[in-house]
Amino acid sequence: MAKLPTRRGFIGGAAAAGMVAGAGISGLPRRAHAAGTVNWLAWGGHVEPAGIKDFFDKTGIRVNHIGMGGNAETFAKLKLSGTSQYDLFEADGLWPLRYHQEGFIEPIDLESLPNVAKNMHPEFKKIPALQVEGGKMLMVPWGWNPTLLVYNKKKVTTPPTSYEALLDPKYKGRVGFSDQHEFMWPVAAMLLGIDNPFKMNKEQLNRAKDVLIRIKRNAPTITKGWNEQLRLYVEETVWIGMSSPGRALTIQTSGGPPMGTETPKEGYYGWIDGDILVKGAANKEAALKWIDYIHTPEYVARNFKRLQRGTANRAGAELLKSQGDSELVTANLMDQPGIALKMRLIEAPANPEDYAAAWNEVMAAT
Amino acid sequence: MTARRADIEVHAKGQTSLWGLFPMVVVQIALFVVPIAIMFVYSFWTTQNYQVIREWTLANYLVFFESWTYPSVLFRTLWMSAVITVATLCFAYPFAYWIARYTQRWQKILLGAVVLSFWTSGLLRAYAWMALLGHGGIINKSLMQVGLIDEPLSFLLYNPFPVILVMTYFSLPFAAITIFASLEKMDWTLVDAAADLGSNPTKTFWFITLPQTLPGVISAAILTFVPLMGMFFVPLLVGNPSSAMIAPLVANLMQAFQLGLGAAMSFIVALVVMIIIAAAWRYIRFERV
């Protein structure tokens, strides 16, 4: 006999649906059962409309892109509404482990995808933390970047060697401060000598919060995404902050000042993002075909020329070089995949309630 | 017509009008009562490690009140919203008055122009303001080019000033149209009579025009104030990082799966807004009496 939903279950379900809407999550995907369709929950920057069209022309498979927010927001969305509406979604760093714990993921044998097997840097095919049984990967790596200190060479005349520079009163109103807390907690933790920024206890989190508040007081604004950061560096509103070597080059080539990049003595974090196959995806075969397609050198070159950051795809980087974009490849470390494996990666916080409360206190602080 | 028949007709009319209210009641319940009820229920639940714990507790409300962080941001939001509401009314009233009184031929075009701003996304309009006010924006660049300033004017962006400016701009159409409607309905012969009896324009405005349009002004204030309390992107984009408003903090909590605390904060804000509306509504009714 079919089990009737309980009153509590009904309230919970209705409330969950309401909360999804309340959190500003919009753009409902089409149902995943539609034949020849891939429902791809992905960051907008990864989408090349010309590639989607070409893929459709070649395979008859439609790619339905659904815009994605941050890692925690996406995790919340999938927890509340389930994964059945999607075939593929994306994540950063060690977040795939969190999804794996929840049973959302079907690991992928990267060697079974011809373009991935042939074109990807070997280092990215076997990232130890993201590998599971039988050598399968939880995520198909796409882009990556270390997060280092970047600075305006005209205004910051002594190259900064430590995150301490972000607290320096002489840079008041000139420091970049991102709304991506995953990249801000490591700065505070490393300044305090705390080993794992994502496993801080309440006392450590409290101290880290105070450090971030001090950095925030040096910032003109809290930046929302790369485009805003780029504008602030180009206009010379912001002189120093955290980003990648490739993006320092982008600032210069966009008419900004000469930029420098330094590795902080405290260490650094970074990210590797990629695509994840939903466990029991309704359109699994089509989804795998799409992943394989985006790892063609042509799609990769087009996307990374626009995005300007590191790629996990060797053939794509080589195509960019052959197209005369060697400077872009070098600045974005596309030919040095070994660096990606040395980076410490962002991850899901162990105690998200404490992190969310602490971050809100950073945001609310005067 | 007998009294009995009249009674029956009135009763039947009453029933018909009640049925006529049915669609509105459904919409009200679906769009107002249900979301508030969901939010209310969630505000008594907590989350732990991305799991909703469906056990009734006041913990989220205690979090709100146990430190000064959230109340101080709520007070700041109330204060900013009040300042922006006053600023909006100060611009909207003369503008609406001018349209109602002096632009008979162009009235429809001018009102259309007011509504026109709604055709563009609010986010895009906020970005357009950033392009105007930023260090590399048109205002700073022009002033530097003509030699009036050497450095960009820092108060133009990432300060309370642009928040007030941009949010006033966003609120102006709502307020102007509401005040215009009440000016349209006003009995202008009283203004003419006051002038004939020797009253000066200021006195006429204070004692004739403003009292007659006060319900419209209060409605405009409510229509301005309420959305400001929940304004999310303008303070984030153009405001000072040290002057946070409440809506972005609620959004942070929702995005981080802190649904209970986010709901409790939303409910507290909603409650404050409802109290303010109730007070204003009471005043409007009192004025009518």
Side-chain angles (χ1 to χ4, degrees), chain B residues 5 17 74 91 191 208 251 257:
Chain B
R5 195 172 159 195
S17 62
L74 180 58
F91 283 104
V191 175
I208 306 289
F257 205 75

Side-chain angles (χ1 to χ4, degrees), chain A residues 19 21-24 73 356-357 359-361 363-364, chain B residues 39 43 64 69-70 73-74 77 229-232 236 244-270:
Chain A
M19 285 296 152
E73 190 185 342
W359 182 250
N360 251 4
E361 287 193 42
M363 293 293 100
Chain B
M39 197 166 74
S43 72
F64 187 90
T69 303
Y70 292 123
V73 175
L74 180 58
T77 307
M229 287 293 293
M231 181 59 92
F232 167 68
L236 270 182
M245 289 175 76
I246 200 84
L249 298 191
V250 174
N252 278 348
L253 291 170
M254 293 301 191
Q255 286 168 2
F257 205 75
Q258 304 309 301
L259 308 179
L261 184 54
M265 281 177 66
S266 305
F267 198 75
I268 290 166
V269 174

Side-chain angles (χ1 to χ4, degrees), chain B residues 82-101:
Chain B
V83 169
I84 296 162
T85 301
V86 171
T88 304
L89 294 178
C90 287
F91 283 104
Y93 200 105
F95 181 63
Y97 188 93
W98 176 67
I99 293 179
R101 190 74 166 141

Side-chain angles (χ1 to χ4, degrees), chain A residues 90-290:
Chain A
E90 298 191 323
D92 256 339
L94 300 180
W95 270 89
L97 299 175
R98 192 71 187 79
Y99 286 109
H100 191 47
Q101 278 175 14
E102 292 290 328
F104 289 166
I105 294 182
E106 184 168 332
I108 301 175
D109 175 11
L110 300 194
E111 295 302 330
S112 70
L113 304 171
N115 280 315
V116 176
K118 188 172 64 176
N119 299 333
M120 189 178 278
H121 282 299
E123 290 87 341
F124 287 99
K125 290 186 205 164
K126 291 173 183 170
I127 298 169
L130 298 178
Q131 258 189 325
V132 288
E133 70 279 357
K136 288 183 176 178
M137 287 278 285
L138 296 178
M139 176 173 83
V140 187
W142 178 249
W144 67 281
N145 258 160
T147 306
L148 310 174
L149 282 166
V150 296
Y151 62 100
N152 177 334
K153 281 184 177 173
K154 267 167 43 192
K155 306 287 186 184
V156 181
T157 46
T158 310
T161 55
S162 162
Y163 292 120
E164 289 283 351
L166 304 174
L167 295 160
D168 194 329
K170 73 181 173 206
Y171 300 132
K172 186 154 183 67
R174 302 297 182 181
V175 171
F177 189 98
S178 168
D179 70 341
Q180 288 186 286
H181 45 86
E182 291 166 311
F183 293 97
M184 298 311 293
W185 288 121
V187 174
M190 284 188 279
L191 271 170
L192 293 167
I194 297 166
D195 182 50
N196 191 332
F198 301 100
K199 289 191 169 67
M200 289 191 274
N201 60 33
K202 277 191 176 171
E203 183 271 327
Q204 291 171 324
L205 203 49
N206 211 30
R207 286 195 292 139
K209 177 194 79 186
D210 291 339
V211 171
L212 291 188
I213 290 170
R214 284 169 60 207
I215 298 176
K216 193 186 84 162
R217 287 186 182 135
N218 261 1
T221 183
I222 298 162
T223 56
K224 283 71 57 185
W226 164 239
N227 286 335
E228 190 183 6
Q229 279 185 47
L230 176 66
R231 181 177 59 77
L232 291 172
Y233 280 108
V234 169
E235 285 179 357
E236 301 192 64
T237 303
V238 164
W239 296 347
I240 183 168
M242 291 165 56
S243 197
S244 65
R247 291 198 155 168
L249 174 73
T250 309
I251 293 164
Q252 284 179 203
T253 54
S254 304
M259 296 293 293
T261 310
E262 290 293 330
T263 304
K265 67 180 182 193
E266 295 90 356
Y268 63 93
Y269 267 71
W271 55 267
I272 299 173
D273 65 16
D275 291 282
I276 290 171
L277 181 65
V278 169
K279 192 173 192 174
N283 306 296
K284 181 181 169 183
E285 291 311 314
L288 290 173
K289 276 184 187 163
W290 172 242

Side-chain angles (χ1 to χ4, degrees), chain A residues 40 43 45-48 90-91 120 124 139-144 271-275 291 293-296 299-301 303-304 307 309-313:
Chain A
W40 187 36
W43 282 297
H46 295 187
V47 180
E48 293 298 334
E90 298 191 323
M120 189 178 278
F124 287 99
M139 176 173 83
V140 187
W142 178 249
W144 67 281
W271 55 267
I272 299 173
D273 65 16
D275 291 282
I291 292 187
Y293 175 83
I294 64 174
H295 283 270
T296 54
Y299 190 100
V300 170
N303 189 244
F304 283 86
L307 278 184
R309 52 204 185 135
T311 170
N313 193 297

Side-chain angles (χ1 to χ4, degrees), chain B residues 184-218:
Chain B
E184 273 277 275
K185 282 188 279 180
M186 203 185 93
D187 183 0
W188 288 96
T189 56
L190 292 175
V191 175
D192 297 335
D196 288 347
L197 293 169
S199 172
N200 66 40
T202 313
K203 251 186 170 175
T204 308
F205 176 77
W206 278 111
F207 293 105
I208 306 289
T209 312
L210 190 59
Q212 283 197 82
T213 54
L214 205 54
V217 173
I218 292 167

